[in-house]
Amino acid sequence: MAIDSTDLGASYLMDSFGRSLLTELQDNARLSTAELARRVGLSPTATAERMKQMEEVGIVRAYTVEMDREALGLEVLAFIRMTCDGQHYFRLVDFVKTLEEVRECHHLTGGDAFLLKVTTTSMSGLEALIEALLPYGNPVTSVVLSTPIERRKYAVTGKLTSAVKKSGRR
């Protein structure tokens, strides 16, 4: 049965059990349902149902694997800020979707149109990528020297703001 988030507000999912569940999943998304249940103090059935509900309303979107980019031979990590005029905007979006080097693409406010997070195997690969972007606008590149904070966990406060709205379910 799908959760009607408009009637329930889905806030019940963010009680102490829900917050504990999300905290545990951020630490290790591969935990079994039985182990998650033990850690959060619910039965395995209740834990599985809670996870299913969190997926349905869009709080939990995916269970992923993190890989070491350098172990994969991707030695260079960089950010490229792109400015482009209106006629190149959609062409740039379509183009960056085809580039395996682009890990993330963010549409920005302010002077830059986009921020691209990219990885390449070498500086010459980065140079080739920058050259490929030139027909679409003006790239400004920053190479990452080190990453003091790579991925910070979300603070699970219990306040459900827009996950339900984003899921598209009503």
Side-chain angles (χ1 to χ4, degrees):
M1 177 175 126
I3 304 299
D4 185 350
S5 58
T6 56
D7 293 338
L8 300 176
S11 60
Y12 73 96
L13 292 172
M14 295 305 292
D15 62 6
S16 63
F17 294 112
R19 290 190 307 272
S20 295
L21 180 60
L22 292 174
T23 299
E24 292 295 335
L25 286 170
Q26 285 186 94
D27 286 338
N28 184 356
R30 292 187 59 176
L31 290 173
S32 68
T33 302
E35 180 60 18
L36 279 169
R38 186 188 68 71
R39 291 184 183 195
V40 301
L42 290 172
S43 71
T45 302
T47 300
E49 182 61 25
R50 178 70 63 103
M51 290 173 57
K52 179 182 171 199
Q53 292 169 349
M54 288 180 160
E55 291 168 7
E56 287 177 351
V57 299
I59 296 169
V60 173
R61 293 189 326 196
Y63 303 87
T64 64
V65 173
E66 276 191 51
M67 293 183 265
D68 183 325
R69 69 173 169 79
E70 291 177 342
L72 295 172
L74 298 167
E75 300 292 328
V76 178
L77 174 62
F79 289 89
I80 302 174
R81 297 187 329 266
M82 288 292 299
T83 57
C84 64
D85 59 27
Q87 68 180 357
H88 292 103
Y89 178 90
F90 292 109
R91 287 182 43 229
L92 174 62
V93 171
D94 290 341
F95 180 61
V96 298
K97 286 178 181 178
T98 69
L99 301 172
E100 69 180 51
E101 296 90 348
V102 176
R103 300 284 158 236
E104 297 175 13
C105 176
H106 303 276
H107 183 214
L108 305 175
T109 62
D112 298 322
F114 295 98
L115 176 66
L116 309 177
K117 179 179 180 181
V118 302
T119 57
T120 62
T121 58
S122 64
M123 290 302 284
S124 62
L126 179 60
E127 183 177 15
L129 176 60
I130 294 166
E131 289 172 1
L133 291 169
L134 286 172
Y136 302 94
N138 183 32
V140 176
T141 305
S142 298
V143 175
V144 174
L145 299 176
S146 67
T147 306
I149 300 174
E150 186 160 13
R151 188 173 188 177
R152 182 171 278 165
K153 296 177 192 173
Y154 288 103
V156 183
T157 63
K159 295 179 182 177
L160 187 63
T161 56
S162 61
V164 174
K165 295 174 193 167
K166 289 181 182 177
S167 72
R169 296 188 172 107
R170 296 196 115 226

